C-alpha cells in the first residue's frame, strides 16, 4: 500500500519559497519515486497575505502565525525559508522541541546558532538539513560531508556569494557601476533582504563558517572569520588586474594550515587561467582539496529561486528517506560525530600569508619608487611586478601598481603604513590579496 504523502509546513513564500513550491509541484512524480512517498506543502506562512504570488497556492493553506505550523501535529517537516535570526531561530527550536525535522536555507541562522540548533536536534533525534544554505543549488554540503568523508581536507575556497560575483562580473564585462549592478542583483532575487550582508562579505562569512566546520570538524565560529567586502573595488583595479593577467573575485577561503586554520573572506586577485576566474555572474564555484582526492571543483548557480529550491527539495527527499532510520545511524549534521568535534585554533589574520596587489599614487620624480621598494625590502617583501601608469590629465601623482610575493599580513600592514607616511605618496595605499589557489 502506498504511503501517505509527507506534510511539509513552508515558512516563507519569497524567492526560495516560491521556487520550492514550483519544483515540488512540477517534479512531484520524480520526487515521490526517489523519496518513496509524495512530498506536499500543506500549509504555508508569509507576512503579506494580499501579495500577488507568481506561483499557484492551490492546495496550500496560507496561515498567519508561523508557530501554528511548528505546533501543528500534522506537519512532519518544517521548511524555514523566512531568513534572518528572529523569529527564525525560535521557530526552528520550537519545531525541534516538537519532534519535527527541519529543512532551512538560512546560513545566518546556521552559522550563528547552528551549534545550539544541532545539539537540540541531536537530543530530540530529528534532522536539520541545510544544503541550500551554502552555494545555492550546488550540493556542496553533501559532497564534503559524505563524498569526501575519506579525506583529510586541506582547503575549501571559492566564490560563495552570487551577488558579489554578479556585481564584479557586471562591472568588468558591461562596465556597469557598482550601484546599478547591485540593484539588478536585487531585482533578480539574488541579494539578501539587507544587501549589505552580501556586499560586506557577511553572507560569504556565514557560508564559510559552515563549510569550515564540516570540512575540518571544528565548531561553527562565525566570529573568527576575517571579512572584507567588495564596496571599495573600483573599475581601475578590475582593469589593472586584467592587465596583469588576473581577475578580481570575492573569495571565501578556509585552509587547514600550519599554525591553525585560516578563515577569511575578501576580494582576491586570481590568475585568469584558473577555472574559478572564469566563473561569472550568479554562478558559484567551490574548490575542495583533500589529501586523497587532490583538488575537486564544484560549480553551479549560487542563488535564485529554482537553483536554491533544487537544494531545498533534495534535503526534503533526504529527510523523508532518513526519517524512519535510527537517529544514531544518520550522517552527523556537521559531518563529524558530535563528541569528535575538535577546537583547532583559528589563525589571526596578522599571521596569514598571501601575495598582494598594491595601488598607490606617487609623485613622478627620481628616487620615489626607490624609497617605496626600500620600505618593502625592509619588511622582507619581494616584488613580482611594478607598473607605473601615465598621470591623469594635469595630475601631479601617477598610479603605481605593485604585485608582491607571499608575505605575512603583519609585514604588509607595517610596510603600507610607512609608505603612506611618505611625502611623495598621496592618500591611502589600496591593497588586494592575491591567491594562486594552487
Ligand atoms: P525573501 O525575502 O524573498 O522571502 C522571505 C519570505 O519570508 C517572504 O515570503 C516573507 O513574507 C516571509 N517572511 C519574512 N518574515 C516573516 C515572518 N516574520 N513571518 C512570516 N513570514 C515571514 O527571501 P528569500 O526567499 O530570498 O530567502 C529566504 C532564505 O533563503 C534566507 O535565509 C536566504 O538567506 C536564503 N537563501 C536565499 C537565496 C536566494 O537566492 N534568494 C539562495 C540561498 C539561500 P512576504 O512575502 O509576505 O514578505
Ligand atoms: N544572497 C546570496 C548570494 C543568496 O547572493 O549568494 C544565496 O545564498
Amino acid at each position: 500500500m502506498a504511503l501517505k504523502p509527507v506534510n511539509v509546513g513552508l515558512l516563507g513564500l519569497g524567492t526560495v519559497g516560491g521556487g520550492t513550491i514550483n519544483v515540488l509541484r512540477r517534479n512531484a512524480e520524480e520526487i515521490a519515486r526517489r523519496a518513496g512517498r509524495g512530498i506536499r506543502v500543506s500549509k504555508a506562512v508569509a507576512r503579506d497575505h494580499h501579495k500577488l504570488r507568481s506561483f499557484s497556492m492551490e492546495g496550500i493553506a496560507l496561515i498567519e502565525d508561523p508557530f501554528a505550523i511548528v505546533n501543528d501535529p500534522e506537519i512532519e517537516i518544517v521548511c524555514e525559508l523566512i531568513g534572518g535570526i528572529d523569529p527564525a531561530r525560535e521557530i526552528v527550536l520550537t519545531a525541534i522541541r516538537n519532534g519535527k525535522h527541519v529543512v532551512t536555507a538560512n546560513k545566518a541562522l546556521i552559522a550563528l546558532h547552528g551549534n545550539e540548533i544541532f545539539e537540540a536536534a541531536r537530543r530530540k533525534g530529528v534532522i536539520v538539513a541545510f544544503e541550500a544554505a551554502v552555494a545555492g543549488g550546488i550540493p556542496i554540503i553533501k559532497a564534503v560531508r559524505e563524498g569526501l568523508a575519506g579525506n583529510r581536507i586541506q582547503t575549501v575556497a571559492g566564490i560563495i556569494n552570487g551577488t558579489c560575483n554578479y556585481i564584479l562580473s557586471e562591472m568588468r564585462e558591461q562596465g556597469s557601476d557598482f550601484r546599478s549592478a547591485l540593484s539588478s542583483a536585487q531585482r533578480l532575487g539574488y541579494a539578501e533582504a539587507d544587501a549589505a550582508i552580501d556586499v560586506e562579505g557577511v553572507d560569504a562569512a556565514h557560508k564559510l563558517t559552515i563549510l569550515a566546520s564540516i570540512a575540518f570538524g571544528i565548531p561553527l565560529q562565525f566570529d573568527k572569520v576575517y571579512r572584507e567586502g567588495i564596496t571599495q573595488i573600483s573599475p581601475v583595479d578590475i582593469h589593472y588586474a586584467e592587465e596583469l593577467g588576473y581577475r578580481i573575485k570575492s573569495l571565501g577561503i578556509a585552509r587547514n594550515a600550519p599554525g591553525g586554520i585560516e578563515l577569511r573572506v575578501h576580494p582576491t586577485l586570481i590568475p585568469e587561467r584558473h577555472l574559478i576566474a572564469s566563473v561569472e555572474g550568479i554562478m558559484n564555484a567551490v574548490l575542495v582539496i583533500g589529501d586523497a582526492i587532490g583538488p575537486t571543483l564544484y560549480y553551479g548557480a549560487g542563488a535564485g529561486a529554482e537553483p536554491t529550491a533544487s537544494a531545498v527539495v533534495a534535503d526534503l527527499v533526504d529527510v523523508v528517506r532518513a526519517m524512519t532510520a535510527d537517529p544514531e545511524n544518520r550522517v552527523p549534521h556537521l559531518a563529524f560525530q558530535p563528541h569528535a568535534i575538535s577546537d583547532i585554533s583559528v589563525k589571526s589574520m596578522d599571521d596569514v600569508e598571501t601575495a598582494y596587489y598594491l595601488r598607490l599614487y606617487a609623485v613622478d620624480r627620481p628616487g620615489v619608487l626607490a624609497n617605496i621598494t626600500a620600505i618593502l625590502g625592509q619588511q622582507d617583501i619581494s616584488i613580482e611586478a611594478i607598473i607605473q601608469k601615465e598621470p591623469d590629465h594635469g595630475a601631479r601623482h601617477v598610479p603605481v601598481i605593485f604585485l608582491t610575493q607571499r608575505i605575512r599580513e603583519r609585514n604588509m600592514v607595517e610596510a603600507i603604513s610607512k609608505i603612506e607616511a611618505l611625502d611623495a605618496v598621496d592618500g591611502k595605499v589600496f591593497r588586494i590579496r592575491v591567491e594562486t589557489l594552487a
Side-chain angles (χ1 to χ4, degrees):
M1 193 181 71
L3 291 165
K4 276 198 319 192
V6 176
N7 285 323
V8 174
L10 183 61
L11 299 136
L13 291 174
T15 304
V16 185
T20 300
I21 289 180
N22 279 340
V23 172
L24 279 173
R25 233 190 261 289
R26 190 173 68 240
N27 298 339
E29 205 186 310
E30 290 287 90
I31 290 165
R33 285 171 62 208
R34 291 191 172 106
R37 293 169 72 176
I39 299 178
R40 71 175 191 121
V41 175
S42 53
K43 293 185 177 160
V45 162
R47 272 175 310 207
D48 182 351
H49 283 207
H50 304 291
K51 205 186 256 183
L52 270 181
R53 311 274 170 192
S54 61
F55 45 88
S56 158
M57 287 291 288
E58 198 188 327
I60 304 173
L62 183 58
I63 55 177
E64 303 238 321
D65 177 12
F67 289 90
I69 286 196
V70 295
N71 290 321
D72 183 335
E74 289 194 348
I75 298 292
E76 289 162 274
I77 305 175
V78 167
C79 190
E80 184 278 305
L81 302 176
I82 285 178
I85 304 299
D86 186 25
R89 174 178 163 272
E90 203 41 53
I91 287 170
V92 166
L93 287 172
T94 309
I96 293 169
R97 272 198 298 278
N98 289 341
K100 299 189 193 305
H101 303 285
V102 175
V103 171
T104 179
N106 192 334
K107 44 272 161 114
L109 181 68
I110 297 297
L112 298 176
H113 298 284
N115 296 321
E116 173 194 24
I117 288 170
F118 296 135
E119 177 53 22
R122 192 189 61 77
R123 274 193 264 111
K124 200 72 193 176
V126 296
I127 303 165
V128 176
F130 53 95
E131 182 64 76
V134 182
I138 305 174
I140 189 69
I141 301 292
K142 200 163 192 86
V144 175
R145 197 164 57 180
E146 298 177 45
L148 300 179
N151 285 259
R152 175 185 288 269
I153 294 176
Q154 295 154 347
T155 301
V156 183
I159 296 170
I160 50 177
N161 182 272
T163 300
C164 286
N165 203 50
Y166 179 86
I167 293 171
L168 292 172
S169 293
E170 289 288 296
M171 286 172 73
R172 191 181 70 81
E173 289 176 345
Q174 313 295 335
S176 308
D177 64 84
F178 182 90
R179 284 280 137 214
S180 66
L182 172 57
S183 302
S184 155
Q186 287 174 303
R187 255 194 327 278
L188 292 162
Y190 302 148
E192 297 301 303
D194 172 5
I197 289 178
D198 293 294
V199 298
E200 298 294 352
V202 180
D203 177 75
H206 289 148
K207 294 166 176 164
L208 193 72
T209 302
I210 300 171
L211 284 174
S213 181
I214 62 168
F216 308 134
I218 57 173
L220 295 155
Q221 37 200 337
F222 170 73
D223 54 335
K224 303 256 176 79
V225 182
Y226 173 84
R227 169 170 67 73
E228 263 177 39
I230 61 162
T231 52
Q232 302 303 313
I233 300 296
S234 65
V236 288
D237 295 310
I238 293 174
H239 175 72
Y240 293 153
E242 269 199 303
E243 261 185 49
L244 290 158
Y246 290 83
R247 295 267 164 87
I248 300 178
K249 295 288 178 190
S250 173
L251 293 191
I253 301 172
R255 188 174 279 148
N256 198 349
I261 287 177
E262 293 176 14
L263 289 180
R264 48 197 170 99
V265 169
H266 50 70
T268 315
L269 262 74
I270 49 176
E272 65 189 1
R273 65 176 182 280
H274 197 288
L275 279 173
I276 290 186
S278 51
V279 173
E280 301 292 0
I282 200 58
M283 305 309 273
N284 280 193
V286 186
L287 168 76
V288 185
I289 306 177
D291 67 337
I293 186 138
T296 59
L297 190 60
Y298 307 83
Y299 170 83
E306 292 212 358
T308 311
S310 163
V312 170
V313 173
D315 271 351
L316 288 170
V317 170
D318 244 10
V319 170
V320 172
R321 285 169 174 160
M323 58 205 268
T324 50
D326 173 6
E328 292 300 316
N329 295 324
R330 292 188 189 132
V331 179
H333 288 110
L334 290 174
F336 290 70
Q337 297 298 337
H339 65 268
I341 299 280
S342 64
D343 213 349
I344 311 167
S345 67
V346 174
K347 267 188 175 179
S348 145
M349 197 60 198
D350 275 351
D351 293 322
V352 167
E353 264 190 26
T354 66
Y356 290 85
Y357 159 102
L358 305 177
R359 170 176 51 79
L360 54 89
Y361 290 89
V363 177
D364 187 13
R365 68 164 184 252
V368 171
L369 272 186
N371 288 345
I372 297 171
T373 54
I375 292 173
L376 293 172
Q378 283 154 19
Q379 292 297 326
D380 277 340
I381 300 169
S382 304
I383 298 164
E384 181 89 23
I386 306 181
I387 309 180
Q388 182 175 324
K389 311 298 289 188
E390 290 298 311
D392 290 340
H393 183 67
R396 210 166 75 85
H397 295 91
V398 292
V400 187
I401 317 302
F402 290 86
L403 267 191
T404 77
Q405 293 192 346
R406 292 174 75 80
I407 187 71
R408 267 196 317 183
E409 177 104 353
R410 178 179 289 126
N411 297 47
M412 184 50 83
V413 169
E414 184 75 30
I416 286 176
S417 88
K418 288 187 173 154
I419 293 169
E420 285 174 348
L422 293 173
D423 282 344
V425 170
D426 185 38
K428 294 276 178 205
V429 174
F430 187 64
R431 162 202 73 172
I432 308 178
R433 297 175 186 84
V434 181
E435 290 284 348
T436 57
L437 299 177

